[in-house]
Amino acid sequence: MKTTVSTEVVVLLAGLLFALGIVGVIIRKNIIFMLLSVEIMLNASGLAFVAAGSRWGQPDGQVMFVFILAMAAAEVSIGLALILQIYHQHKSLDIDNLKEMNG
Amino acid sequence: MEIAFYVAGTVALVATLMVITRHNPVHALLYLNVSLLAHAMLFYLLGASFAALLEIIIYAGAIMVLFIFVVMLLNLGKETAEQERKWLKPKVWMGPTVLAAVLFAEFLALVLSSGQDAYSPAVVSPRELAVALYREYLIGVELAAMLLMAAVVGAAHIGRHKKLVLHRFLREEKEKEEEKHEETVL
Amino acid sequence: MMLVLLITVLMVGAVAAVVAGEWNRHLPRWIALLASAAGLLLVILLWAGTSPHSVTDGQWLMDYRKEWIPSFGITFHLAVDGLSLLLLALTFFLGVLAVLCSWDEVRERTGFYYFNLLWILAGVAGVFMALDMFLFYFFWEVMLIPMYFLIGIWGSENRVYAAYKFFIFTQASGLLMFLAILGLYFIHGRDTGIYTFGYFELVETVIPFKTAFWLMSGFMIAFAVKLPVFPFHTWLPDAHGEAPTAGSLILAGLLLKTGAYGMLRFVVPMFPEVVTDVAVPAMVLGVAGIVYGAVMAYSQTDLKRLVAFTSVSHMGFVITGIFALNELALQGVVMQLVTHALSTGALFLMAGMIKERLHTRDIGQMGGLWGPMPQMGTIGLVFAMASLGLPGLGNFVAEFLILLGVFQAQPWITVAAASGLIFSAVYSLRIVGKIFLGPRKTMEAVPDFSFREMLIMAVLTVSVVWLGLFPQPVIDTARPAITELIRFMDVHSNASHHQSYVK
Amino acid sequence: MSNNDFSALMPLMVLAGASVLVMLLIVARLSHRIIQLVSLLLFVVAFISLLNIRGMLPYEVGSLFMIDSFGAFMTGLIIFSGLVVNVFSYIYFQEKEEGPKEYYVLLFLCTLGACVLAQSEHFVSVFLGLEILTIGLYALIAYLRTRNHSIEAGIKYLVLAAFSSAFLLFGMALVYLQTGTMSFAGMAGVVAADNVPPLLITGLGLMLVGLGFKLAVVPFHMWTADVYQGAPVPVTTFIATASKGGVVAAMLRFFIAIDGFRSEPLQMVMITIAIASMVAGNLLALRQKNIKRLLAYSSIAHLGYLLVAFIPGSAVVPQAVSFYLLTYFITTFAAFGVITILSDSESDAEDLDRYKALFWKHPALASILAVAMFSLAGIPLTAGFTGKFYVLTTGIGQGFWLLAVVLVLSSVVGLYYYLRVVTTLFAGTRDLLPDPPAKYPVFLGISMAVLSILTFVLIWLGVYPDSVIGVVQGLQLK
Amino acid sequence: MDKYLWLIPALPLGGFLILALAGKQLSRSSVALVGAGSICLSALVTFVVGGAFLAGLPANAVYTQTLWTWFEVDAFSAKITLSLDVLSLVFVFVITFIGALIHIYSTAFMEADRDYARFFASMNLFVFSMLVLVLADNLLLMYLGWEGVGLCSYLLIGFWYEQPSNGNAARKAFTVTRIGDAAMAIGLFMIFQQAGTLVISDIGTIADTIWQPNSTTVTVTALLLLAGGLGKSAQLPLQTWLPDAMAGPSPVSALIHAATMVTAGVYLVARMHAIFALSETARLVIAVIGAATLLLAGLTALTQYDIKRVLAYSTISQIGYMFLALGVGAWTAAIFHFMVHAFFKALLFLAAGAIIESLHHEHNMFKMGGLKDKMPVVFWTFLAGALSLAAVPLISAGFYSKDQILWYSWTASGGSPILWMVALSGALITAAYTTRMMILTFWGEAHTPVGHLPGRRMTLPLVVLAVFSILAGFMELPHNFGHFTLFSDLLHPVLPETAMRAEIPSEWLFQLLAALATLGGVLLGYHYYYQQPARIESLRRNAALASLHRFWFSGWGFDALYDRLLVRPFIFISKINKSDVTDRLYTGIAGATGEMYKLLSRTQSGSLRWYIMGLVVGAILILGIQIML
């Protein structure tokens, strides 16, 4: 099962996914979607790491991916906790409601 | 097998595109799951089978479930979809998309100018990974534990429901609302 | 050690004042008086101990040096030559007067007030003695904050604006000077391998002309703002106008002098070639200041602003004189520094005293005050005359020497500067005319000088007359410093001339 | 792992262990007071354990950590920050929150993360340190979860931090893809070649986005004010100091390892960022009425100043950076300490108008705040001046005149708002702020004592900085 | 006796100090005693020292006395040194002697005034300054006196300070003379630069060696000095202040604005004759200015109502004669006229003061009249002064002094027929307005009742001065007319002989014409104001003549001209720029910063989306920079 992959293609794929994530974070109104989009970006980075690891034949890329995974989980847990609080207080998850502090 | 790679890549892209364009959170989550599965396929093709496994189990399994759980808990269905539908007009997404496209274009320019070769991904077995994790990156693993602990403590504190301490201005309103509620009930 | 004592006596007094102010409202003023008087005594002792005639070789009378931040080549280096000595004497003299004139004027937060007052004096004294560039800058800034408080807390209506303006102007320019100091430090360090902020080392630095120009600009901006040179003067009327009496006295009498001192001590010897090159533009600015300040002074209706603008005009003479770069003019500059402090200080004191009585600074509401206050009228006249440069009073000697010296360098500039003589008459007489002459505007009872006020003014009057008739001691004291400066200039401009010839 | 490894990692282990210990104490239902004091003690222990390893520097632990004198200094600084924040926390949280205890766990974890950052020399440890810090901060910022501002700040920080972390990770991945190693030492060998491949440059650029966010430099600064305002004051203090210190240390180590100073594009980017930060930070604070936001904007400018010391890449950079951070930390502690003490259970003392006439009511607190403001403004006699002096000498020493001039001019703008604060302290006679709570005399006493010591150090560093400069000059990066 | 020289100025100074410091505590009589006594003593010392000086006229003809070194810098040295030679002696004599008389007069004249002590303090200070001016051995000390007298003039013009117009007049006097002083100061700088000294005698000795005759430098130097003189002596174009200066008390007008201070310009030019001798242009300028001034002021005097203004313009006019004399090189003639003029003009002012006081401060001559019989002493003494002013031939001192000037204005080397013509018509005008003044004041109907008559302390000085006004002329008689040259002989060690032109017309003819001019003027005045007063009215109805009258009356419109040209623009500029236009620059910077703050703070919208956008833009910028480099 020998695959030949062009580094550029992998990197560009990851980059494209990353860019989609960015778009998602910016355009969405609901905080949950924003978190989802951030997950997409993290995943794209993970893809890049795995690709890099496989490029050099090292486990380090995957190690990093594992840590990314841990971090994503941690972040999502706190993020969702926050979302619960926000929903509790604002009865909405519209990020545009959260503009009280400015100037 | 390159074809598998491209197919998986395309699936991941399309699914991701769907994620960021769906109005209904549940739909989006499902598409994200598809995307994650495609990622797992990519990982596997890149020789990282263990990562592919983790992607499915933890990401698609655990984390996404967490999301769905919250979505269900808060009953975010139609209302959210309606809100997003109203919101997601070209006027709104055009700007950010262009921005992201510019960023990607720059990225493209930089990557293409670097002239990388194609390579055959080396398979890194779970064993190798485990050795690396528990030898070289042992402290890292411990730190990851601290990271998770921070998340747990934090989420526990933030997510904990206490009686809501309202600002004194809001308190009156709330009382009024409650009165109203009682009236309707009665 | 005596030099350190000069500063520490003020600082200790300052802290004592603020502490004492916690439990007695009147104690701080006695402490302040004591501290400044002690300082004055020390300076007099110093002066008496080192008669200028005893110094034939070298200009330095006293020197104190101690490591401060050796990692950067910073030393705590104080030294005094005739020039510094004169200005130090002035500092403590005006310091005593400033305490005296605040005696009854300041009733609130006396402890903190006298703390600031003494702290300013300490900073000013430090500036006049520091011979390490870092230390100099340090003291340069030390005097700002208390002055800021003095204006901002005890000033009149528009005090906050004035305090900001004062602070930001001086600090902004000071920072540019600091950049220049650093530039000098590195150029010297790179040339010689010795990184030091020491004055004597840095003065010998050979700097490429273009760099020297920029570095000099950095120094000049700081000093020009402080002096102030037209068009950097606009902070001054506000600060002087809003400050409490003692603040105006110190601003006009001392803080402005630090600018001139800086030019004499640093700009001229460090950048002799550039100074020679920009002499004419600088003098033109000076003349512009003379004329502009005078015209502005004429148009003011606020007495303190008016006097403030006369300072602009007088300081125009100073910068013109400095850039004439000959002994006559430089001696005149030194003289002007001393006499302007006395005459303008006295005018500010008078403005304060009038304000205490009439509760206004608007000269439109004054008039005919000679009747009820002949003593103040007389004294006011004396200082108005001093301000217009009447012979027999100190300012005349100063302005005459400056103009005489400038004439040797640039006759046409002198001609323009001499117009200042006319304008100064115009505004000085306006002061006298509006305040003391004419019909009375207010019927409030205005008591003449109290004993304390009379004492302050008498001391100032005697000083200004003394300087007008017997200025020689001052001139002799400053002479070694001035001649050394001239000699240094000559050596360097010859050298540079020679250099360019070789090229 | 050898014994030496253990003792070298002792500070980190103490911090990690402390968090667990505190958790156990919480389980044992001990009072807030005891937990606070214990954690204070634990911070002291961590600090002492750090002093203990002085003799063995520099020391490498695995490929993840390099404990050299610079790293140790920064670790010390961060632990000290944690300690100071800890001291200020008791009254603040006792007044506001029913469950103040988990706070200490998170504080230890954040401190740990920052310390890891300061000592890391590997992408993995950088990443993990950063994330421990960040995740802890999410919770800390939103700790007063019933307050709208707190929650808002928390979610903003969370989304943005995760977003920027993604950039950082992507950048790291590209660097790794190009170099084949994730340890700085390994990279140093690979990158030394003169031509820097574009992929590496891209990776570094993307990493800069992530790091720039953490440092809150322009244009990644926009979260700063909101988070500073929304977070509890002690947490704000921590964000302003320890979290930035750790990132700066890691960044400096990385840059020195790969000699990123020599790369023209990077330098250009950094210069642009520095200038933009100095200018925008100072301008944004100009008329700000909320003192927490004001300090946030001021921190943007100060990070800009710091970059002036960072960019030249000369041998003195570590010294200058550490000295500047030291002065900045102490100043920030003093400023936020006063704000903390003056905050009450209803709200933080953030409205500048409420500070009117503070000087006449609480001369000590007002003086400390005034000194802190002067220090931030860089006025002589305060640490801020010496710090700025160090920065300027570093910049000018390498001929970065543009940066120096911008620094000077923008700090003139800065003067205005620092003075505005000081003026407010002295203005008027009304007193709008409540007395500092007298309910907790012991803790108030400790807080005041710490504040006084900090102020003393602040002035001492301004007047006689040589001893500290001596220490700083001994700092080295391996 | 020379060691007592310092006493001459010191005594008035002492008087000033006593009065200034303790004036309030002293009684009126002791104030008078100190004030007048110090000047009388000073006059006495002058007689003694001057007598000794004249008796044993030393070879170098100078007494000098150095008191102390004022200041020395580099090559410059100024000493407080007094020096007495014949020229200064003449001035010292006039100052102290006339000064003493005027002080005695003032003790009575100012008796009722509240500020008695202040008056005498200022007067004493004035005498001191004036003495310093004339005794100074170097130009800087002279400048001290020069400015000092200006100050005293200011103080005394504005003596009655509550009247705003008095203050304005004082200010005007000071400011206008200051213009001249500034120029003079520049002159001093030039002299120092070229000669390296400001000691007058040294300059005199080396003038020939350092300056080429008629070179530009020497001309410029001379003209700058002259400018100072013009200001002090109220000559064109700086004459406008003197008529207004009449706001001061009459003794002040007599002493300062007639006898002494205003002639300082004459003294200066005479003193610095070494420089002026080297520049023909400068001398021509002096002569022309003198001639123009005498004519202009004379015509103005002809139209004034206020008796003191008439006298003021007449003073300007007479000093014009002195300048004319200086300009043509008749140095001694100028000084002679100065002395004579001092006597009769002081007399006229004091007498006018006595009249004004008697008539309850009535200044308008048209409201006087008929005083001939009511105030005989004043009338006779005034007549003596008027004769001298009009230069009535043979019997008045004024004739002798003015005749000399008329003669030299043609015959001296610098003279010319035109100058002579002007001077001659001036003589006619002088006689005319003097007659007019006499007639309006003393003859005709009385328009205002006479109050109390002047007492002995006032009349005595009048009589003494009247005697001198008549007799002083006999010190110097024309060449064809006894050729008695006591005065010029005395002065010749100091001032050079008048150089004459080659061909000199007969002197008799000139004297005859001068006498005729005087008589013609007297007749004119007599005709229009005594015989046919109605014809004046008819003349005045002529529109052209009326506007001419207005023009002359306003002093040839100089005040209005200066007002438009200098004063109003100055005030206009200062008023529009009251808030300092340069400050706009800084407030502009501050404002711009504020605007930038507003702009930037709008980016802090609080919207998370926006913040993320910022992050992305930052990433784009970073990558963009990297692509570009």
Side-chain angles (χ1 to χ4, degrees), chain D residues 45-324:
Chain D
V45 171
F47 200 82
I48 290 169
S49 68
L50 182 72
L51 294 182
N52 206 27
I53 61 173
R54 260 183 314 180
M56 50 192 290
L57 303 178
Y59 187 83
E60 194 172 20
V61 186
S63 56
L64 293 189
F65 293 104
M66 167 53 86
I67 303 155
D68 48 20
S69 51
F70 172 77
F73 180 84
M74 292 306 298
T75 311
L77 210 52
I78 290 161
I79 294 177
F80 180 68
S81 313
L83 190 133
V84 173
V85 169
N86 185 49
V87 168
F88 291 145
S89 301
Y90 178 81
I91 300 177
Y92 186 89
F93 284 102
Q94 180 69 22
E95 285 278 298
K96 302 204 177 193
E97 172 67 40
E98 290 153 60
K101 296 170 191 169
E102 292 93 335
Y103 169 81
Y104 297 96
V105 181
L106 293 169
L107 188 60
F108 276 117
L109 288 171
C110 284
T111 315
L112 171 68
C115 290
V116 168
L117 271 176
Q119 300 180 351
S120 57
E121 61 141 14
H122 196 280
F123 277 171
V124 167
S125 47
V126 167
F127 171 70
L128 284 171
L130 196 65
E131 288 308 324
I132 295 175
L133 174 64
T134 315
I135 302 273
L137 279 181
Y138 298 155
L140 282 181
I141 290 169
Y143 199 81
L144 302 174
R145 60 197 190 283
T146 49
R147 280 211 213 160
N148 289 349
H149 281 180
S150 218
I151 288 288
E152 184 183 329
I155 194 73
K156 276 179 181 169
Y157 188 70
L158 185 133
V159 173
L160 284 168
F163 189 84
S164 69
S165 287
F167 271 93
L168 180 68
L169 282 171
F170 205 92
M172 282 180 177
L174 293 185
V175 173
Y176 175 46
L177 184 65
Q178 184 65 45
T179 57
T181 173
M182 289 204 284
S183 86
F184 298 171
M187 250 173 261
V190 181
V191 180
D194 270 344
N195 71 326
V196 190
L199 205 57
L200 183 70
I201 281 292
T202 317
L204 292 176
L206 292 178
M207 280 178 73
L208 262 187
V209 176
L211 294 172
F213 167 82
K214 293 285 189 278
L215 293 180
V217 287
V218 176
F220 317 110
H221 64 287
M222 293 196 256
W223 58 275
T224 328
D226 292 2
V227 169
Y228 271 47
Q229 187 188 350
V233 189
V235 177
T236 312
T237 319
F238 191 84
I239 298 173
T241 54
S243 91
K244 284 179 185 162
V247 177
V248 169
M251 193 165 150
L252 184 60
R253 192 181 297 281
F254 181 56
F255 262 71
I256 285 180
I258 64 166
D259 203 6
F261 306 107
R262 267 192 316 167
S263 154
E264 204 182 329
L266 270 186
Q267 199 180 61
M268 195 62 213
V269 167
M270 301 278 277
I271 288 176
T272 316
I273 289 176
I275 290 176
S277 301
M278 290 189 278
V279 173
N282 280 318
L283 280 176
L284 275 169
L286 201 63
R287 301 207 183 128
Q288 185 52 247
K289 293 231 160 50
N290 182 314
I291 194 167
K292 279 164 92 181
R293 293 183 78 84
L294 187 143
L295 287 170
Y297 293 131
S298 123
S299 80
I300 295 171
H302 277 274
L303 264 297
Y305 301 157
L306 184 73
L307 286 184
V308 177
F310 191 98
I311 292 167
S314 56
V316 287
V317 164
Q319 308 163 16
V321 166
S322 16
F323 189 79
Y324 190 77

Side-chain angles (χ1 to χ4, degrees), chain C residues 143-172 234-244 251 255 305, chain D residues 374 379 412 415-416 418-420 422-424 426-427:
Chain C
M143 61 191 178
L144 290 190
I145 301 165
M147 195 69 225
Y148 167 78
F149 282 135
L150 219 54
I151 299 173
I153 299 177
W154 291 273
S156 39
E157 303 78 35
N158 207 7
R159 56 179 176 266
V160 174
Y161 172 75
Y164 276 139
K165 206 168 175 178
F166 162 75
F167 198 93
I168 289 180
F169 263 77
T170 36
Q171 175 77 11
T234 67
W235 62 273
L236 183 121
D238 289 306
H240 281 50
E242 302 300 330
L251 265 176
L255 258 63
R305 278 182 80 86
Chain D
F374 284 132
I379 309 278
V412 170
L415 269 183
Y416 174 75
Y418 295 125
L419 277 186
R420 210 156 46 80
V422 175
T423 308
T424 312
F426 290 92

Side-chain angles (χ1 to χ4, degrees), chain C residues 11 18 22 67-72 74 108-109 112 119 134 137-142 144-145 148-149 152-154 159-160 163-164 167-169 171-173 175-176 178-180 182-187 190 197 211 215, chain D residues 359-360 363 370 374 377-382 385-386 388-390 392-394 396-399 401 404-405 407-409 411-413 415-417 419-424 426-429 462-466 469-470 473:
Chain C
M11 289 189 166
V18 81
E22 286 296 307
E67 289 292 320
W68 182 20
I69 310 178
S71 12
F72 282 102
I74 298 168
E108 286 183 18
R109 290 136 196 178
F112 192 48
W119 205 257
F134 187 88
Y137 179 76
F138 187 81
F139 281 124
W140 182 264
E141 299 278 312
V142 160
L144 290 190
I145 301 165
Y148 167 78
F149 282 135
I153 299 177
W154 291 273
R159 56 179 176 266
V160 174
Y164 276 139
F167 198 93
I168 289 180
F169 263 77
Q171 175 77 11
S173 58
L175 280 170
L176 291 178
F178 191 54
L179 280 185
L182 287 179
L184 205 58
Y185 169 76
F186 279 108
I187 289 172
R190 221 156 282 159
F197 281 95
T211 323
L215 294 182
Chain D
F359 188 80
W360 314 120
F374 284 132
I379 309 278
L381 276 180
T382 60
F385 171 67
T386 12
K388 213 175 256 176
F389 165 70
Y390 222 136
L392 276 175
T393 42
T394 313
I396 293 175
Q398 296 296 314
W401 278 97
V405 170
L407 191 160
V408 160
L409 291 181
S411 61
V412 170
V413 178
L415 269 183
Y416 174 75
Y417 60 85
L419 277 186
R420 210 156 46 80
V421 176
V422 175
T423 308
T424 312
F426 290 92
T429 46
V463 178
Y464 197 73
D466 199 54
I469 288 179
Q473 281 181 336

Side-chain angles (χ1 to χ4, degrees), chain C residues 283 320-321 323-330 400-415, chain E residues 73-76 185-198:
Chain C
M283 286 160 100
T320 317
F323 280 87
L325 299 171
N326 55 43
E327 191 175 343
L328 281 169
L330 290 176
F400 178 80
L401 282 175
I402 290 175
L403 289 176
L404 190 63
V406 173
F407 195 86
Q408 318 295 317
Q410 296 292 338
W412 285 109
I413 284 179
T414 319
V415 172
Chain E
V73 176
D74 205 2
F76 180 81
I186 297 170
L188 299 195
F189 305 146
M190 281 194 77
I191 291 175
F192 175 73
Q193 195 188 29
Q194 287 147 23
T197 175
L198 286 181

Side-chain angles (χ1 to χ4, degrees), chain C residues 1-5 7 60-67 75-80 129-132 135 200:
Chain C
M1 208 53 219
M2 192 136 160
L3 304 180
V4 184
L5 204 59
I7 295 175
W60 302 100
L61 307 175
M62 210 171 224
D63 192 284
Y64 177 84
R65 195 194 296 246
K66 198 163 193 305
E67 289 292 320
T75 49
F76 190 84
H77 187 185
L78 301 176
V80 161
M129 291 191 283
L131 276 191
D132 178 280
L135 186 66
F200 294 112

Side-chain angles (χ1 to χ4, degrees), chain E residues 70-387:
Chain E
W70 192 2
F71 54 97
E72 270 180 330
V73 176
D74 205 2
F76 180 81
S77 159
K79 290 192 166 71
I80 306 283
T81 302
L82 303 177
S83 92
L84 185 74
D85 61 2
V86 187
L87 180 60
S88 37
L89 182 61
V90 171
F91 273 82
V92 171
F93 166 67
V94 168
I95 294 159
T96 52
F97 180 61
I98 297 184
L101 291 174
I102 292 174
H103 273 75
I104 293 169
Y105 173 93
S106 307
T107 55
F109 187 85
M110 298 300 290
E111 192 121 53
D113 204 278
R114 183 157 61 107
D115 289 325
Y116 202 52
R118 178 160 65 91
F119 179 80
F120 277 106
S122 312
M123 288 291 270
N124 280 359
L125 182 63
F126 170 77
V127 172
F128 162 73
S129 310
M130 193 68 207
L131 287 171
V132 169
L133 196 165
V134 297
L135 283 174
D137 117 293
N138 62 63
L139 284 169
L140 196 67
L141 187 58
M142 184 199 258
Y143 195 75
L144 184 143
W146 189 269
E147 293 284 306
V149 293
L151 166 68
C152 299
S153 159
Y154 168 78
L155 291 176
L156 287 163
I157 295 170
F159 182 74
W160 290 309
Y161 56 85
E162 272 158 340
Q163 189 80 31
S165 64
N166 293 354
N168 290 342
R171 230 161 87 185
K172 184 175 175 185
F174 198 101
T175 315
V176 174
T177 51
R178 186 83 178 183
I179 294 172
D181 297 352
M184 180 177 158
I186 297 170
L188 299 195
F189 305 146
M190 281 194 77
I191 291 175
F192 175 73
Q193 195 188 29
Q194 287 147 23
T197 175
L198 286 181
V199 179
I200 295 165
S201 50
D202 294 354
I203 297 170
T205 355
I206 57 170
D208 297 341
T209 54
I210 47 177
W211 282 298
Q212 292 289 325
N214 294 324
S215 63
T216 322
T217 8
V218 76
T219 304
V220 171
T221 315
L223 288 178
L224 284 169
L225 286 180
L226 175 66
L230 294 180
K232 267 284 155 357
S233 293
Q235 297 295 294
L236 273 179
L238 301 176
Q239 83 288 17
T240 57
W241 62 273
L242 188 58
D244 289 346
M246 295 303 130
S250 293
V252 172
S253 311
L255 180 61
I256 301 182
H257 304 122
T260 53
M261 186 190 86
V262 286
T263 52
V266 179
Y267 175 76
L268 176 71
V269 176
R271 186 44 94 199
M272 301 310 295
H273 63 84
I275 290 179
F276 286 96
L278 286 172
S279 170
E280 267 174 33
T281 324
R283 271 182 292 139
L284 182 63
V285 170
I286 298 176
V288 169
I289 287 177
T293 311
L294 76 90
L295 198 58
L296 182 144
L299 287 172
T300 312
L302 209 46
T303 59
Q304 298 298 317
Y305 306 136
D306 183 330
I307 187 167
K308 284 184 74 180
R309 283 180 87 88
V310 174
L311 289 174
Y313 277 111
S314 127
T315 305
I316 298 175
S317 171
Q318 295 304 310
I319 298 170
Y321 274 107
M322 297 175 212
F323 270 84
L324 175 60
L326 294 170
V328 298
W331 311 104
T332 52
I335 303 302
F336 187 47
H337 191 56
F338 148 74
M339 189 179 76
V340 172
H341 173 258
F343 286 122
F344 69 71
K345 194 49 71 60
L347 167 62
L348 288 173
F349 267 116
L350 291 184
I355 292 168
I356 290 166
E357 210 196 27
S358 298
L359 297 184
H360 312 289
H361 300 284
E362 181 54 66
H363 284 239
N364 191 339
M365 294 188 300
F366 286 89
K367 292 188 180 164
M368 294 175 179
L371 294 176
K372 181 161 63 90
D373 304 321
K374 287 178 185 147
M375 304 176 74
V377 180
V378 174
F379 169 67
W380 287 109
T381 48
F382 198 96
L383 184 64
L387 289 177

Side-chain angles (χ1 to χ4, degrees), chain A residues 35-44 72 75-76, chain B residues 59 63 67:
Chain A
L35 277 183
L36 275 183
S37 306
V38 171
E39 294 306 316
I40 295 171
M41 291 167 72
L42 290 174
N43 231 313
E75 188 199 306
V76 163
Chain B
Y59 237 127
I63 298 180
F67 269 101

